[in-house]
């Protein structure tokens, strides 16, 4: 058996030869050489669309990678330099759904119960979980790409560039807030883009129940207007009926009742014996009032109540199906909402954001209106539709019901049935851009060519305004702040702009102690009661530093409780005539504690603990550099919150001062290490009695005092409005398609860096993705680039088809097929 298995798993000569070629490429850095040899050659620009690293790559990715490799290789062989930088899509529902499963939570309520910080930090840890597998596959197929230097949409630099883009769109008047009826997932509790629904088979054929409903006219008891609906669950939110002024209507008698419907829709009477008693124009019943089907809102007071439960004219009503009468629930249909705005018809949500009937709907409160079939809720009779139909039947307002088979949209990630839901959201005005988009599309070379004027053009033609806000967590935050009192909106475009809002006007002056006796011996002194005084040279060093501080007009002095720092502060205060009551001892400014190395030499410690290791490892009884950075950051944020407009002197030690600078800037461990190794930002260490002024204002940060734009850290950034109210960020995050559409500039932190680079690398000569991206990445990238740069972001597009799995569906990480 073993020999059979060995024979079966034996690699073919072709596979072995491929592996030998790969080893040669890697060992000799052939890809890198192919670029370096063409360093001064004309460039051919390729943009690589970022995939999610939330699952294993499949044959569909391999097909796309083949195209992405072949074209740049061809251009390289023609003598051009082609950079090929990989990217990662890090945000959105794909990773959030994985996190919910892993943490055994479902829905926003449970996420917020465990905490947004825990949820998002877990998402960060999982988001690149399959990077190794992707790299292995990409290498094995022989694709040349800069995998290790990839851009990531979750990086602060990427997010800041996305903020820049939104700020520019706002300046152009293209960004607005509005209440619109949008496709909505009740499990994820967020709107979903129409383009996402159109991708990858999100429509499924399902059996539903429709209802013909009787609305009794108030001034004609026994006369009922007959309306048809495929969404009976929306009926508790009915506040109007609509008829078409251009359609003929009739009254028909059936048994003991009179029914009103369109003349052309008598077929809706379901073969019941009837007699036409009157034919009339729609205007005869427009304006009439009818009896509400449900009592839930009849006793409540709300705006425009006098406009409720009446009949209105609307030309969107047709006689294609139904009865020629449309039931209007403004919160759950686009036409309904538009009519509501036009006629001042009220709307009240009787369904919560979680997809369940609200407490107002007393008979069915808490029940899902359109549940996803699960083991707990497997049958259709548990849907809100069925409950409502049973209610209508028991109250004599159901005329008929019927089963319908129709194609219905589902969430592209969790497969929950979607519905349309009125929700406040932020939009980009696409309607104002369409002429420009069509004009730019003319300049793009499409393969296959028919997509240019076919699918792509048609999707642009019908595109609604772009809803860019999502009611979720792991994503770039919308940089929109609103005053709780005056409702003024402020849109922030950069970190510096944000920090200008949070600045309290304090100035910070940092001074390291002068030379101490311990510095002469090179001994570790990390105990406050160590009797190491300043040397005479150290006192002179401090006196020289005082001269630099004379113009600073120091208000407050914070000092470590060590002998050498207190003596330094005393000299400064004596010369500058700062009273002792302005001097505050703060233990957070102490020397870094390196435990068992106390009394030994610093060289011994540094030899045994390389700099980068000190962030995660500490000697026995000591602390890590991460600990020192945390207490330094805590000091900065605490002091800044307590004072305003002050000149503050801080006297401390070398390492705590460098960590204080790092925490003031929000540097990550890697950024600190780069400063240490390459002296990127400034001389890393503080010399004896060295003086520096640093700027500081609060910024969003994680527990390690690293800059982090994500929730919940960004949500803590608030400031006072001119009116005296508090300005806080709105909770929504950004549609991740906006992020991927920003990659041409955000991947390189434009415009904050690389301005000259961007001029030479925009637009791309070539992009390639599979066909569904015509409605998403290609389209959204065109929109963003048209607004910001008045150009198409690419000149040539090659699309691939779908690779199907054994089940006949498109291969997909989310489906696991």
């Amino acid at each position: 058996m073993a020999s059979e298995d060995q024979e079966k798993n034996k690699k073919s000569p072709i596979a072995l030869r491929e592996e030998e070629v790969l080893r040669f490429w890697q060992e000799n850095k052939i890809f890198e050489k192919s670029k370096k040899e063409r360093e001064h050659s004309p460039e051919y620009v390729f943009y690589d669309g970022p995939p999610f690293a939330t699952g294993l790559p499949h044959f569909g990715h391999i097909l796309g990678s083949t195209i992405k490799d072949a074209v740049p290789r061809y251009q390289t062989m023609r003598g051009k330099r082609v950079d090929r930088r990989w990217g990662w899509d890090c945000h959105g529902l794909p990773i959030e759904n994985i996190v919910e499963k892993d943490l055994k939570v479902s829905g926003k309520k449970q996420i917020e119960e465990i905490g947004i910080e825990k949820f998002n930090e877990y998402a960060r840890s999982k988001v690149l979980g399959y990077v190794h597998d992707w790299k292995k596959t990409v290498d094995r197929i022989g694709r040349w790409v800069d995998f290790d230097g990839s851009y990531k949409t979750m990086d602060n630099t990427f997010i800041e560039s996305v903020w820049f883009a939104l700020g520019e769109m706002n300046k152009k008047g293209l960004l607005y807030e509005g209440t619109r009826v949008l496709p909505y997932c009740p499990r994820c509790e967020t709107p979903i883009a129409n383009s996402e629904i159109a991708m990858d088979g999100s429509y499924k054929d399902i059996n539903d129940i429709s209802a013909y409903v009787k609305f009794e006219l108030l001034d004609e008891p026994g006369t009922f207007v007959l309306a048809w609906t495929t969404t009976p669950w929306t009926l508790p939110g009915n506040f109007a009926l609509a008829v078409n002024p251009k359609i003929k209507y009739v009254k028909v008698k059936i048994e003991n009742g009179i029914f009103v419907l369109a003349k052309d829709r008598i077929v809706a009477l379901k073969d019941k014996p009837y007699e036409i008693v009157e034919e009339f124009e729609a205007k005869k019943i427009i304006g009439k009032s009818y009896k509400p089907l449900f009592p839930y809102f009849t006793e409540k007071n709300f705006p425009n109540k006098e406009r409720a439960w009446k009949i209105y004219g609307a030309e969107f009503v047709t006689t294609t199906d139904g009865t020629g009468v449309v039931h209007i629930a403004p919160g759950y249909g686009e036409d309904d909402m538009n009519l509501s705005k036009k006629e001042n018809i009220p709307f009240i949500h009787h369904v919560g954001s979680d997809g369940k009937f609200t407490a107002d709907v007393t008979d069915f409160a808490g029940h899902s209106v359109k549940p996803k079939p699960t083991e707990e809720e497997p049958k259709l009779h548990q849907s809100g539709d069925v409950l409502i139909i049973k209610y209508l039947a028991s109250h004599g307002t159901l005329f008929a019901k019927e089963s319908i088979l129709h194609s219905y949209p589902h969430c592209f990630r969790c497969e929950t049935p979607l519905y349309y839901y009125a929700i406040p959201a932020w939009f980009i005005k696409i309607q104002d851009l369409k002429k420009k988009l069509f004009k730019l599309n003319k300049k793009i070379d499409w393969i296959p060519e028919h997509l240019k004027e076919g699918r792509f053009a048609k999707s642009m033609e019908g595109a609604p305004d772009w809803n860019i806000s999502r009611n979720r967590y792991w994503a770039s935050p919308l940089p929109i702040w609103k005053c709780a009192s005056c409702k003024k909106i402020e849109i922030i475009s950069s970190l510096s702009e944000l920090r200008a809002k949070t600045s309290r006007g304090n100035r910070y002056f940092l001074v390291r102690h002068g030379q101490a006796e311990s510095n002469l011996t090179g001994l570790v002194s990390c105990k406050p009661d160590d009797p190491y005084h300043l040397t005479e040279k150290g006192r002179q060093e401090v006196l020289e530093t005082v001269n630099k501080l004379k113009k600073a007009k120091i208000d407050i002095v914070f000092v470590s409780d060590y002998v050498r720092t207190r003596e330094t502060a005393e000299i400064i205060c004596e010369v500058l005539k700062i009273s002792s009551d302005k001097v505050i001892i703060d233990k957070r400014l102490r020397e870094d504690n390196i435990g068992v190395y106390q009394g030994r030499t610093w060289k011994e410690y540094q030899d045994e603990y390389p700099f980068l290791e000190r962030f995660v490892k500490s000697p026995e009884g000591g602390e890590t550099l991460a600990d020192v950075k945390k207490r330094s950051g805590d000091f900065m944020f605490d002091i800044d919150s307590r004072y305003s407009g002050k000149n503050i002197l801080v006297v401390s030690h070398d390492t705590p001062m460098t960590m204080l600078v790092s925490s003031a800037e929000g540097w990550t461990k890697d950024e600190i290490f780069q400063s240490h190794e390459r002296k990127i930002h400034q001389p890393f260490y503080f010399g004896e009695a060295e003086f520096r002024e640093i700027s500081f204002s609060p910024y969003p940060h994680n527990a390690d005092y690293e800059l982090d734009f994500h929730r919940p850290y960004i949500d803590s950034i608030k400031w006072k409005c001119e009116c005296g109210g508090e300005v806080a960020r709105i909770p929504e995050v950004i549609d991740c398609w906006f992020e991927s559409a920003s990659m041409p500039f955000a991947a390189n932190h434009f415009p904050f860096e690389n301005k000259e680079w961007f001029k030479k690398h925009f637009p791309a000569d070539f992009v390639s993705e599979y066909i569904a991206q015509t409605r998403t990445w290609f389209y959204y990238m065109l929109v963003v680039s048209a607004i910001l740069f008045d150009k198409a972001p690419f000149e040539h597009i090659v699309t691939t088809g779908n690779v199907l799995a054994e089940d006949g569906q498109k291969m997909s990480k989310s489906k696991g097929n």
Side-chain angles (χ1 to χ4, degrees):
M1 180 63 72
S3 61
E4 288 182 18
D5 289 341
Q6 289 174 355
E7 187 65 29
K8 183 178 179 181
N9 294 323
K10 187 177 178 180
K11 293 183 178 179
S12 70
I14 294 174
L16 292 171
R17 188 163 61 248
E18 287 178 346
E19 291 177 0
E20 185 179 341
V21 171
L22 288 172
R23 276 193 298 273
F24 175 80
W25 285 351
Q26 291 164 358
E27 290 170 2
N28 294 278
K29 299 188 180 300
I30 302 300
F31 173 43
E32 291 78 5
K33 288 179 181 177
S34 75
K35 292 190 295 181
K36 188 166 183 60
E37 288 178 358
R38 295 161 177 79
E39 197 166 358
H40 302 294
S41 301
E43 285 201 73
Y44 186 84
V45 180
F46 165 63
Y47 293 160
D48 200 357
F52 283 103
T54 52
L56 295 172
H58 53 68
F59 288 109
H61 297 111
I62 292 173
L63 172 62
S65 270
T66 303
I67 303 295
K68 293 177 181 181
D69 190 56
V71 173
R73 277 180 186 266
Y74 170 70
Q75 293 295 337
T76 300
M77 288 188 287
R78 297 189 69 196
K80 294 182 180 178
R81 176 186 170 89
V82 189
D83 286 329
R84 279 150 274 183
R85 187 183 180 195
W86 191 274
W88 291 113
D89 227 339
C90 303
H91 291 141
L93 288 177
I95 183 65
E96 286 203 17
N97 286 338
I98 290 172
V99 174
E100 288 188 58
K101 290 175 183 176
D102 285 1
L103 297 182
K104 294 180 171 54
V105 296
S106 180
K108 295 178 69 176
K109 182 180 179 182
Q110 292 184 10
I111 291 171
E112 293 181 4
E113 283 175 354
I114 67 168
I116 297 173
E117 182 173 7
K118 179 178 179 179
F119 184 85
N120 275 359
E121 288 303 327
Y122 189 81
R124 186 195 305 276
S125 73
K126 296 289 287 185
V127 75
L128 300 177
Y130 290 93
V131 167
H132 174 75
D133 299 283
W134 277 77
K135 179 173 174 52
K136 183 178 177 182
T137 301
V138 169
D139 285 345
R140 184 61 186 83
I141 65 173
R143 180 179 173 189
W144 280 358
V145 63
D146 180 8
F147 204 92
D148 295 329
S150 60
Y151 66 87
K152 302 173 186 66
T153 61
M154 67 180 178
D155 289 346
N156 290 320
T157 52
F158 198 103
I159 294 173
E160 187 175 22
S161 292
V162 169
W163 282 15
F164 149 76
L166 287 171
E168 292 300 297
M169 292 176 183
N170 181 58
K171 291 174 187 175
K172 295 173 186 264
L174 295 173
L175 197 62
Y176 72 94
E177 183 183 22
T179 298
R180 294 264 302 278
V181 176
L182 302 167
Y184 184 85
C185 175
R187 199 214 67 84
C188 298
E189 295 188 56
T190 187
I192 304 290
N194 283 303
S195 57
E196 291 171 316
I197 298 171
M199 290 180 69
D200 302 341
S202 292
Y203 279 86
K204 299 180 181 180
D205 288 338
I206 63 171
N207 283 302
D208 255 334
I209 300 178
S210 66
Y212 292 85
V213 187
K214 299 156 58 175
F215 294 86
E216 187 173 16
L217 294 176
L218 285 182
D219 64 346
E220 297 183 52
T223 297
F224 302 90
V225 179
L226 199 59
W228 180 63
T229 178
T230 58
T231 55
W233 63 266
T234 63
L235 287 167
N238 170 270
F239 284 97
L241 296 174
V243 295
N244 191 324
K246 299 179 180 179
I247 293 175
K248 295 279 189 181
Y249 287 83
V250 293
K251 286 183 180 178
V252 299
K253 183 177 182 181
I254 301 177
E255 298 177 347
N256 296 322
I258 303 293
F259 295 88
V260 176
L261 72 165
K263 181 180 179 182
D264 292 342
R265 292 303 303 165
I266 288 180
V267 67
L269 298 178
K270 305 299 179 187
D271 297 326
K272 294 185 180 181
Y274 67 89
E275 176 189 350
I276 296 178
V277 296
E278 184 182 355
E279 183 178 324
F280 55 90
E281 303 288 339
K283 63 183 180 181
K284 181 175 180 178
I285 57 170
I286 290 175
K288 282 181 174 284
S289 297
Y290 60 88
K291 182 179 178 182
L293 294 175
F294 299 89
Y296 308 133
F297 301 111
T298 56
E299 301 301 320
K300 289 182 177 289
N301 290 318
F302 48 85
N304 299 326
K305 186 176 181 180
E306 73 282 358
R307 306 284 294 171
W309 303 301
K310 290 187 174 182
I311 301 174
Y312 294 88
E315 293 190 4
F316 61 77
V317 179
T318 71
T319 56
T320 304
D321 48 26
T323 65
V325 180
V326 174
H327 122 74
I328 301 298
Y332 309 99
E334 187 172 2
D335 287 333
D336 305 48
M337 176 58 74
N338 292 337
L339 183 63
S340 172
K341 291 177 179 178
K342 177 184 176 183
E343 301 286 358
N344 293 319
I345 301 167
F347 91 87
I348 301 174
H349 269 310
H350 69 283
V351 176
S353 61
D354 58 357
K356 297 178 180 179
F357 288 118
T358 64
D360 287 324
V361 187
T362 52
D363 296 285
F364 316 114
H367 197 286
S368 294
V369 300
K370 211 158 191 67
K372 176 184 176 181
T374 64
E375 291 181 3
E376 292 76 25
E377 294 183 294
K379 297 180 181 178
L380 184 63
H381 73 259
Q382 293 172 312
S383 73
D385 290 333
V386 175
L387 291 175
I388 293 299
I389 286 174
K390 287 181 177 179
Y391 179 97
L392 298 176
S394 66
H395 287 74
T397 50
L398 179 69
F399 180 81
K401 64 179 180 179
E402 64 183 9
S403 177
I404 57 170
L405 177 67
H406 60 160
S407 184
Y408 196 88
H410 288 65
C411 179
F412 73 111
R413 286 300 168 187
C414 70
E415 298 188 345
T416 298
L418 303 177
Y419 53 78
Y420 286 83
Y421 192 74
I423 188 171
W426 284 82
F427 300 87
I428 294 172
K429 293 179 181 177
I430 296 298
Q431 310 316 313
D432 295 358
L433 294 171
K434 286 191 175 179
K435 286 185 179 179
K436 179 184 287 188
L437 296 178
F438 279 106
K439 182 178 178 182
L440 292 176
N441 185 39
K442 296 286 186 185
K443 301 177 182 179
I444 301 170
D445 175 33
W446 281 84
I447 299 175
E449 187 178 2
H450 65 82
L451 293 174
K452 182 173 187 172
E453 301 300 334
R455 182 181 296 196
F456 190 72
K458 285 180 171 56
S459 63
M460 284 198 302
E461 186 177 351
D465 284 356
W466 183 2
N467 166 29
I468 60 165
S469 59
R470 297 290 183 269
N471 300 65
R472 292 301 299 185
Y473 304 99
W474 179 241
S476 296
L478 268 174
I480 301 173
W481 274 256
K482 182 182 289 189
C483 176
S485 299
C486 69
K487 309 303 179 186
K488 179 184 176 182
I489 293 288
E490 295 190 59
I491 296 177
I492 302 298
S493 300
S494 66
L495 175 60
S496 61
E497 193 177 326
L498 182 66
R499 295 189 77 159
K501 293 290 184 182
T502 64
S503 173
R504 295 174 59 82
N506 294 316
R507 297 175 67 191
Y508 292 89
F509 304 88
L510 311 185
V511 175
R512 183 190 174 193
H513 61 78
Q515 185 189 71
E517 294 164 347
S518 57
N519 297 123
L520 290 176
T521 61
L523 295 178
V524 171
S525 170
C526 56
K527 290 186 176 180
D529 55 359
D530 282 348
Y532 293 113
H533 298 272
L534 293 181
T535 64
E536 186 55 38
K537 178 186 176 184
R539 300 180 73 83
Q540 289 301 315
E541 289 172 338
V542 175
L543 286 171
E544 291 175 13
T545 296
V546 172
N547 292 326
K548 302 173 184 177
L549 284 168
K550 286 182 177 178
K551 295 181 180 180
K553 297 181 180 179
I554 301 299
D555 297 302
I556 309 155
V557 179
F558 286 93
V559 61
S560 156
D561 57 351
Y562 282 48
V563 172
R564 54 190 180 271
T565 47
R566 285 191 281 113
E567 289 180 349
T568 299
E570 287 168 4
I571 295 171
I572 294 171
C573 290
E574 182 179 351
V575 175
L576 298 182
K577 295 182 171 50
I578 300 172
S579 61
S580 59
D581 64 323
K582 300 295 184 184
V583 179
I584 301 171
I585 300 291
D586 197 306
K587 296 179 180 179
R588 292 173 292 187
L589 299 174
R590 285 179 172 180
E591 180 67 275
D592 50 325
N593 178 11
I594 54 174
V596 295
Y597 284 88
Q598 166 71 18
R600 296 164 66 181
T601 67
W602 280 101
K603 186 177 185 308
E604 287 179 89
Y605 167 64
Q606 292 164 355
D607 286 346
E608 293 187 35
Y609 285 83
F611 183 78
L612 192 57
E613 287 187 16
R614 294 178 218 165
F615 279 92
V616 293
K617 292 173 62 178
S618 64
E620 182 182 345
E623 60 183 344
T624 64
L625 281 185
D627 296 328
V628 180
K629 183 167 183 264
K630 281 184 180 180
R631 58 178 164 92
S632 299
D634 180 66
F635 170 82
M636 285 302 300
F637 276 81
D638 175 40
I639 297 307
D640 197 74
S641 70
R642 287 158 49 187
Y643 297 96
S644 179
K646 300 295 184 183
N647 294 337
I648 299 171
L649 176 65
V650 179
V651 183
S652 184
H653 311 264
D654 180 20
T655 302
M657 299 280 256
T658 58
M659 293 300 105
L660 195 147
V661 171
S662 302
S663 60
E665 293 296 327
W667 291 345
T668 64
K669 180 178 66 176
D670 288 342
E671 288 172 319
I672 295 172
F673 184 66
Q674 288 173 4
S675 284
H676 167 75
E677 289 293 297
R678 307 176 196 169
K679 312 295 186 288
I680 290 176
H681 300 283
Q682 59 189 17
F684 188 71
Y685 293 108
F686 277 74
E688 294 167 354
E690 182 178 342
F691 151 73
R692 293 183 202 167
E693 180 179 357
I694 65 169
S695 60
F696 175 77
S697 54
Y699 60 86
H701 64 86
N702 60 21
D704 294 320
Y705 289 95
E706 297 171 336
L707 173 67
D708 194 333
F709 285 128
H710 291 95
R711 299 189 69 188
Y713 315 119
I714 191 68
D715 299 332
S716 67
I717 302 300
K718 302 173 183 178
W719 59 85
K720 285 289 183 184
C721 181
E722 295 173 353
C723 75
E726 184 177 68
V727 181
R729 197 189 73 84
I730 66 172
E732 288 81 9
V733 294
I734 302 172
D735 175 13
C736 62
W737 285 110
F738 192 95
E739 295 175 341
S740 56
S742 301
M743 67 77 48
F745 55 93
N748 288 281
H749 200 208
F750 176 89
F752 309 101
E753 298 179 84
N754 301 307
K755 287 187 177 181
E756 288 303 313
W757 179 94
F758 181 72
K759 288 179 183 177
K760 299 174 183 177
H761 292 82
F762 181 88
D765 293 293
F766 165 66
V767 292
S768 178
E769 295 294 340
Y770 84 111
I771 186 115
Q773 297 290 0
T774 52
R775 293 190 177 97
T776 48
W777 192 54
F778 297 143
Y779 165 69
Y780 288 129
M781 196 152 52
L782 178 61
V783 169
V784 171
S785 296
I787 295 172
L788 297 184
F789 311 115
D790 204 24
K791 289 182 180 179
F794 32 66
E795 295 180 358
H796 305 277
I797 294 176
V798 174
T799 68
T800 65
N802 290 324
V803 178
L804 303 184
E806 290 181 356
D807 59 6
Q809 298 185 71
K810 169 189 168 288
M811 281 190 177
S812 168
K813 296 192 299 294
S814 62
K815 291 183 172 68
N817 62 353

